[in-house]
Amino acid sequence: LDFKQSIEEYFDVQIEIEDIKEDCTFTGTFEDARLEEVLEAINFTYETNFEVNDNTYYFKKLNCNLW
């Protein structure tokens, strides 16, 4: 999950993914994007939602077989 590490490092946040069955790939380029914009793109791509607690974003499930 390279996108997870990239987001964590760029925005200085933690991301936890609870239920993932496949190796999800997310490719995209964002220019001057806010964290919320990036997370909404992931939500749309993988039909998921996230919750925030302090500086950690929790994804319940990533549906990697959509495309």
Side-chain angles (χ1 to χ4, degrees):
L1 295 173
D2 292 335
F3 71 86
K4 177 184 174 293
Q5 182 178 354
S6 296
I7 293 169
E8 288 176 330
E9 291 174 0
Y10 186 83
F11 290 104
D12 193 27
V13 297
Q14 294 293 327
I15 295 179
E16 299 293 333
I17 302 171
E18 292 182 11
D19 184 13
I20 184 167
K21 295 180 175 64
E22 301 290 326
D23 185 24
C24 292
T25 302
F26 184 85
T27 57
T29 302
F30 296 91
E31 292 185 28
D32 300 320
R34 295 178 297 118
L35 175 60
E36 292 78 16
E37 293 172 318
V38 175
L39 296 178
E40 287 302 323
I42 293 170
N43 281 346
F44 177 77
T45 302
Y46 297 120
E47 292 184 348
T48 187
N49 286 304
F50 64 90
E51 296 176 4
V52 181
N53 187 0
D54 292 325
N55 206 30
T56 303
Y57 292 76
Y58 297 91
F59 287 88
K60 298 295 181 187
K61 181 178 182 180
L62 295 184
N63 187 357
C64 301
N65 296 317
L66 293 175
W67 308 103

